[in-house]
Every structure is written in structure tokens, then in C-alpha cells.
């Protein structure tokens, strides 16, 4: 199948991976992550006040993300509140949505409990700006979905936005500029990349506590956006794990405090063999409902999402596919048919996802290369590329950060090590490690021509040992571990002395 991938630019400058170490997961957490990865496929639901507007403000079609229309249309808080006062999604049917997810082969659901606009889709004592107290609907959408999930045996997760455009004690705000259109410049009145004030931090903790105390077992907290300090990330993590130790946390909690990484929206899929990850995907260029969006022909859309699902799973990830109910709470027929089409494919191919996942694990498992000659060449095709991650910011990942081979020398002894490569950099420092042995060398990039560089000597054994080639952390030639390895047509020659 062909891949159809939307590649979106990263939203924030990235900080080098070496600044902070990812959390060390326990064996229990690893087991939970394995079970989560074996689910393969989940439903994302973006539903809120923005759904009622459907991508239109004051008679004009507003481009970009429908769920961020408050920003894109420069809507003042008071006017957005007026929309909330009319929000009455009487057609929301939690049981039908859960049944739709099950029919599509999805194993869990993640719903937006609060998006950037700050409106809560659940009953909360922290603010009256919620669907129970502020709208004529007067019912807890999250509670309805939780009840339906528990009745039907569906796992449930919560999306939660860290920035909050409505919270009165957040960052100071200017008045929205009504004289500019959203495509003319970025309006920082409302931003997805806002700092979290101490008051907002406490507010977030209070709401996380409600969400993880009032709705039964939750499989994941799916945080999003903001500019969060390490201390705030740790506090949010501690809050989640204290209340529900088995609840997994995605990487957008920032500062390497997540249990698994989340790709950029509609991100580029690769074999991130070292990590657990999910791929959040939308059907079009929006997550929240837009009445006027151009929808591809149904058969093309079904095929595209099947391709993205199988590609994600075959590379070791979990596919989280979004639907956006309209302002009445109804899932539109087009999106229902897409999910039915995916479900029909999976029923006709019941073992597909498990087989792809197993193949992914086999492909990522190290195999032993036997060094059986006095001179032996390791190629990039023989090795396994590893991802570098930095969960400090919104999202940063490099699928080709370093490479390894598992080798065993039939004739143990001392070997000279040469690296042959085509450089992408003028010069960069690299290390080759083998057990406790370490070789370090700056590899030049003269005229970007094929180079051969002598690294030094290694004492190879007859046991299975990993040999790895990495970018040297802290080197002036290595500004970030998120740089690609930068060595094309890579070969490592081992020559016995």
C-alpha cells in the first residue's frame, strides 16, 4: 500500500536530548506499554464549543484548525462565552460512539476533556465554565462516555490541554485584534505555546485530580502543548501516578516525563525501535468539526487511513485516528463510513495488525553478525538505527540518531577500525563503543566526498557484544542529538592485526 502522510512542521525550537534523561520505566510500566502497543488502534475525539461554530465566525469561513477558531478568528472571551451559553449537543450518544469505535477495530478512546479554549467538557468544581453549569445541555459528556466505555469494555483516555485561553489567572492578554485576518500574522493573544503560571498550575492539578478520581479507570492522560517547566511536568506526572499508577502518560507532558512519545500531528512514520509511540492523525486539515471542509472521496479516504494504520503498526507504533462530532454531538455520516470501511478491512484481515506488529518487533530485534574473516565490513543495512528523543519541548524526534550492530568474532583479537562514509557535515565528532571500550574521532567532511577515517583499535571477543556508532554528546560539532547521524553510505571496516 502507498503511504499517505501529512507532514507538519514542529511548533517549537528543540532542546538537545542530552540536557535531560528520559524517565526510567519500571517492569510494570513496560508491561502496560506493551499491552497498550498491542492495542494498535484508538479513537481520538475532538469535541467542544468550537464544534458548534463548525469553522465559521460571523458568516466567514475561518481556515486552519477548527478547534482553535477562538484564536484564528480573534474571538474575544466574552463573545466565545456567548457561544458556550448556546451549546446544546442533544444528539451526543456515547453508546453509539463506543459501538462505532469497536466496529472499526479500535481498542481505546481519547476524548478532549478541555482544549485550549479552556471550556471543560466534564463536571468540575474548579470553574463554572463547563458543560454542566454553563450550557443549556447541562450534562457531563465525559461521564456519559466513561459509562459507555465501561459498559462495553472499551478503554478510555483523556486529552487535556495545558494552555488555557479562558483562565483568568493565566498569562496577561491583550485584546484580540479584529482588524487582521488569521492568515496575515500569528496572533499571540491566544497561543498553544503559553507558559503556565503558578495559579494555572494549581488549577491544572485540581482538574487532573477530578478527572482521575471521578470516571473510573483511565488508560492514558494525553497532555498537549504549552511551555512547561521541568518542575511542572514532574508535578503533573506525580499527580497522575499517585491517583492511577497504571495510567500511561504521553510525551507532551514535556521534559521527558512521559511514558511514551507522541509524534507531531499527522507525523512522519519511521521505525522508532527504542521507544513506545503513538501517531495522532486527523482525516483532514482540522481536528474539530468544520462544516465546509473539503472531504476526499470516501473510498480514497478509507484506503488512506488503512494505509496509515498499517504503516504505523508495522513500524511499531499505535494509530490514534480522530473524529470530530458536529455541534449537535452527532458523528457525521462521512466519518462513520470511514470507520466502517476500516472495520470491514480488519474483519476481512483479522490477523493483519498483530502480524505487522510482530514483524516490526522482529525487524527491530538485534541479530548477531559473525566476524569470520580477517577483514570484515559492517554496512548500514546490517545494523539497526535508533531514535533520539527529547521530550523537553512539544515534540522532537530523530529516527536516525545512532546505529548499532551485534557482533561476534570467530577469531577474537585486536582489530583496526575504519569508518567509510559520505558526510553531511563539514566535521562532526563520533564515538564507537564496544562493551567498555570507546573510540572517539572527529570525522571530516572535505568537499562532501567519500571519506575513510581510522578510529583506533578494538579488542573483539567471541561473545555477542553490541558495537555502536554515535554522535559525541557535548561536542562543538554536535549541537543536538536530534541531528541525523549524517553519514551516508556508511561502512565500518574491521581489520584484524
Amino acid at each position: 500500500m502507498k503511504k499517505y502522510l501529512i507532514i507538519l512542521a514542529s511548533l517549537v525550537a528543540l532542546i538537545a536530548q542530552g540536557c535531560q534523561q528520559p524517565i526510567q520505566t519500571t517492569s510494570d510500566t513496560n508491561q502496560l506499554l506493551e499491552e497498550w502497543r498491542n492495542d494498535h488502534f484508538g479513537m481520538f475525539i475532538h469535541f467542544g464549543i468550537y464544534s458548534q461554530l463548525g469553522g465559521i465566525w460571523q458568516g466567514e469561513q475561518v481556515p486552519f484548525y477548527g478547534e482553535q477558531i477562538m484564536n484564528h478568528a480573534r474571538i474575544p472571551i466574552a463573545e466565545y462565552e456567548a457561544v458556550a451559553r448556546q451549546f446544546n449537543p442533544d444528539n451526543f450518544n456515547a453508546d453509539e460512539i463506543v459501538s462505532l469505535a469497536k466496529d472499526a477495530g479500535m481498542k481505546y478512546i481519547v476524548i478532549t476533556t478541555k482544549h485550549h479554549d479552556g471550556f471543560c467538557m466534564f463536571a468540575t468544581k474548579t470553574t463554572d465554565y463547563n458543560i454542566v453549569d454553563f450550557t443549556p445541555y447541562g450534562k457531563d459528556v465525559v461521564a456519559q462516555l466513561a459509562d459507555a466505555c465501561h459498559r462495553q469494555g472499551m478503554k478510555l483516555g483523556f486529552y487535556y490541554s495545558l494552555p488555557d485561553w479562558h483562565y483568568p489567572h493565566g498569562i496577561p492578554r491583550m485584546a484580540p485584534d479584529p482588524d487582521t485576518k488569521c492568515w496575515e500574522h500569528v496572533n499571540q493573544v491566544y497561543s498553544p505555546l503559553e507558559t503556565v503560571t503558578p495559579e494555572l498550575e494549581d488549577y491544572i492539578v485540581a482538574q487532573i485530580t477530578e478527572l482521575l478520581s471521578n470516571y473510573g479507570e483511565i488508560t492514558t492522560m494525553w497532555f498537549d502543548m504549552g511551555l512547561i517547566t521541568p518542575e511542572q511536568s514532574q508535578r503533573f506526572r506525580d499527580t497522575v501516578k499517585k491517583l492511577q499508577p497504571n495510567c500511561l502518560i504521553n510525551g507532551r507532558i514535556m521534559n521527558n516525563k512521559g511514558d511514551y512519545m507522541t509524534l507531531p500531528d499527522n507525523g512522519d512514520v519511521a521505525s522508532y525501535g527504542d521507544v513506545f509511540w503513538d501517531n495522532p492523525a486527523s482525516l483532514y486539515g482540522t481536528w474539530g468539526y468544520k462544516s465546509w471542509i473539503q472531504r476526499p472521496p470516501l473510498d480514497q479516504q478509507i484506503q488512506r487511513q488503512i494505509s496509515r494504520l498499517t504503516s504505523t503498526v508495522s513500524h511499531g507504533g499505535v494509530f490514534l485516528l480522530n473524529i470530530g462530532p458536529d455541534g449537535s454531538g452527532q458523528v457525521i455520516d462521512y466519518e462513520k463510513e470511514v470507520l466502517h470501511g476500516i472495520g470491514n478491512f480488519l474483519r476481512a484481515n483479522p490477523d493483519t495488525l498483530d502480524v505487522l506488529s510482530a514483524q516490526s518487533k522482529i525487524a527491530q530485534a538485534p541479530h548477531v553478525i559473525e566476524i569470520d574473516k580477517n577483514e570484515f565490513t559492517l554496512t548500514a543495512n546490517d545494523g539497526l538505527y535508533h531514535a533520539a528523543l527529547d521530550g523537553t519541548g512539544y515534540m522532537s524526534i530523530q529516527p536516525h540518531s545512532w546505529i548499532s550492530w551485534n557482533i561476534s568474532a570467530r577469531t577474537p583479537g585486536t582489530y583496526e577500525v575504519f569508518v567509510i562514509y559520505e558526510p553531511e557535515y563539514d566535521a562532526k565528532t563520533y564515538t564507537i563503543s564496544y562493551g567498555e571500550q570507546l573510540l572517539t574521532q572527529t570525522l571530516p567532511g572535505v568537499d562532501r566526498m567519500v571519506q575513510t577515517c581510522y578510529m583506533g583499535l578494538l579488542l573483539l571477543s567471541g561473545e555477542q557484544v553490541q558495537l555502536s556508532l554515535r554522535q559525541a554528546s557535548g561536542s562543538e560539532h554536535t549541537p543536538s542529538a536530534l541531528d541525523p547521524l549524517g553519514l551516508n553510505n556508511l561502512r565500518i571496516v574491521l581489520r584484524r592485526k
Side-chain angles (χ1 to χ4, degrees):
M1 298 179 181
K2 293 182 179 179
K3 296 179 180 178
Y4 297 87
L5 300 170
I6 303 173
I7 304 174
L8 299 182
S10 178
L11 299 179
V12 68
L14 309 177
I15 303 174
Q17 182 188 23
C19 295
Q20 298 189 50
Q21 294 298 317
I23 62 169
Q24 298 299 311
T25 57
T26 65
S27 58
D28 289 342
T29 301
N30 281 332
Q31 179 62 35
L32 291 168
L33 286 165
E34 287 287 357
E35 293 173 359
W36 168 76
R37 180 161 60 186
N38 289 336
D39 285 340
H40 306 313
F41 191 21
M43 173 186 280
F44 215 171
I45 303 174
H46 275 68
F47 184 44
I49 299 303
Y50 45 83
S51 306
Q52 179 161 315
L53 294 174
I56 296 176
W57 180 246
Q58 295 181 343
E60 292 189 10
Q61 296 178 354
V62 179
F64 310 122
Y65 289 157
E67 69 281 2
Q68 295 188 29
I69 192 171
M70 185 179 179
N71 174 36
H72 300 320
R74 321 298 204 218
I75 305 174
I77 288 175
E79 294 182 34
Y80 199 78
E81 286 181 344
V83 177
R85 288 291 188 192
Q86 302 171 21
F87 189 43
N88 192 17
D90 278 337
N91 288 332
F92 181 80
N93 188 316
D95 281 298
E96 285 187 3
I97 289 176
V98 175
S99 297
L100 180 63
K102 294 181 73 172
D103 179 77
M106 295 162 160
K107 299 301 175 59
Y108 70 107
I109 294 174
V110 175
I111 187 170
T112 50
T113 60
K114 186 192 75 170
H115 211 275
H116 310 329
D117 60 9
F119 186 82
C120 299
M121 298 294 287
F122 62 101
T124 174
K125 296 179 180 179
T126 62
T127 177
D128 68 349
Y129 197 54
N130 68 78
I131 194 163
V132 176
D133 298 320
F134 209 80
T135 76
Y137 184 66
K139 290 177 283 189
D140 187 332
V141 162
V142 171
Q144 293 175 60
L145 186 63
D147 290 345
C149 284
H150 299 322
R151 280 195 301 271
Q152 297 193 43
M154 176 68 70
K155 299 175 185 178
L156 178 63
F158 290 153
Y159 169 105
Y160 186 89
S161 167
L162 294 168
D164 189 315
W165 297 339
H166 183 270
Y167 183 68
H169 305 295
I171 64 170
R173 299 193 184 281
M174 301 179 294
D177 178 2
D179 297 325
T180 62
K181 301 296 183 182
C182 59
W183 55 84
E184 293 178 329
H185 63 78
V186 176
N187 187 313
Q188 293 300 318
V189 173
Y190 310 117
S191 171
L193 295 173
E194 295 182 347
T195 57
V196 171
T197 63
E199 295 84 357
L200 178 55
E201 178 185 335
D202 291 341
Y203 180 77
I204 289 170
V205 169
Q207 291 194 337
I208 294 172
T209 300
E210 290 177 325
L211 287 168
L212 294 180
S213 301
N214 299 337
Y215 299 98
E217 183 176 354
I218 303 304
T219 193
T220 186
M221 280 297 297
W222 209 98
F223 291 101
D224 198 23
M225 305 305 291
L227 296 175
I228 314 302
T229 68
E231 293 77 16
Q232 289 172 332
S233 295
Q234 186 65 58
R235 187 182 180 195
F236 300 154
R237 177 179 177 83
D238 291 345
T239 302
V240 172
K241 294 299 183 177
K242 179 180 179 180
L243 293 165
Q244 295 207 27
N246 292 337
C247 181
L248 297 173
I249 303 172
N250 78 323
R252 294 189 189 176
I253 195 174
M254 316 294 185
N255 296 298
N256 289 305
K257 299 303 179 184
D259 296 314
Y260 63 91
M261 293 305 298
T262 291
L263 265 61
D265 298 346
N266 295 296
D268 194 7
V269 173
S271 293
Y272 309 118
D274 304 80
V275 298
F276 294 90
W277 56 278
D278 71 342
N279 178 15
S282 58
L283 294 176
Y284 357 82
T286 186
W287 301 77
Y289 170 72
K290 291 176 75 169
S291 60
W292 53 271
I293 196 75
Q294 294 295 313
R295 297 179 173 87
L298 186 60
D299 58 342
Q300 293 181 18
Q301 182 72 274
I302 292 170
Q303 181 62 38
R304 179 169 184 257
Q305 301 311 324
I306 290 172
S307 178
R308 298 168 91 190
L309 167 62
T310 55
S311 177
T312 298
V313 173
S314 68
H315 287 88
V318 177
F319 192 55
L320 187 59
L321 182 60
N322 183 72
I323 61 170
D326 64 20
S328 76
Q330 180 73 38
V331 181
I332 66 172
D333 289 342
Y334 178 90
E335 295 183 5
K336 289 180 182 179
E337 290 304 315
V338 172
L339 296 188
H340 286 318
I342 298 172
N344 290 338
F345 169 81
L346 293 177
R347 280 185 288 276
N349 302 274
D351 300 323
T352 295
L353 297 185
D354 288 335
V355 169
L356 289 173
S357 181
Q359 290 174 345
S360 170
K361 294 173 183 177
I362 292 171
Q364 294 166 9
H367 62 283
V368 181
I369 300 172
E370 189 171 80
I371 309 300
D372 57 359
K373 301 175 183 177
N374 287 333
E375 182 171 314
F376 193 93
T377 300
L378 302 173
T379 70
N381 290 335
D382 300 325
L384 176 64
Y385 276 106
H386 299 262
L389 298 170
D390 178 11
T392 304
Y394 166 74
M395 177 61 218
S396 37
I397 189 165
Q398 171 52 250
H400 298 103
S401 178
W402 60 285
I403 188 170
S404 69
W405 300 261
N406 279 4
I407 64 174
S408 172
R410 177 173 291 182
T411 307
T414 301
Y415 286 74
E416 297 174 315
V417 182
F418 299 85
V419 178
I420 302 173
Y421 60 98
E422 295 178 15
E424 294 182 4
Y425 300 94
D426 291 337
K428 181 182 278 195
T429 303
Y430 295 84
T431 62
I432 287 182
S433 63
Y434 177 84
E436 299 298 320
Q437 302 174 66
L438 186 68
L439 304 176
T440 302
Q441 188 64 264
T442 298
L443 303 186
V446 181
D447 296 329
R448 300 294 195 271
M449 296 172 62
V450 176
Q451 314 281 319
T452 301
C453 186
Y454 175 67
M455 294 289 294
L457 300 175
L458 288 177
L459 181 61
L460 303 187
S461 75
E463 303 297 322
Q464 174 186 335
V465 180
Q466 184 186 83
L467 184 150
S468 66
L469 173 66
R470 302 171 184 259
Q471 306 171 78
S473 60
S475 164
E476 62 178 333
H477 302 299
T478 310
S480 171
L482 297 172
D483 287 349
L485 190 61
L487 303 174
N488 298 318
N489 297 319
L490 174 65
R491 287 162 286 165
I492 293 182
V493 177
L494 304 172
R495 181 183 297 163
R496 194 170 188 271
K497 288 199 69 177

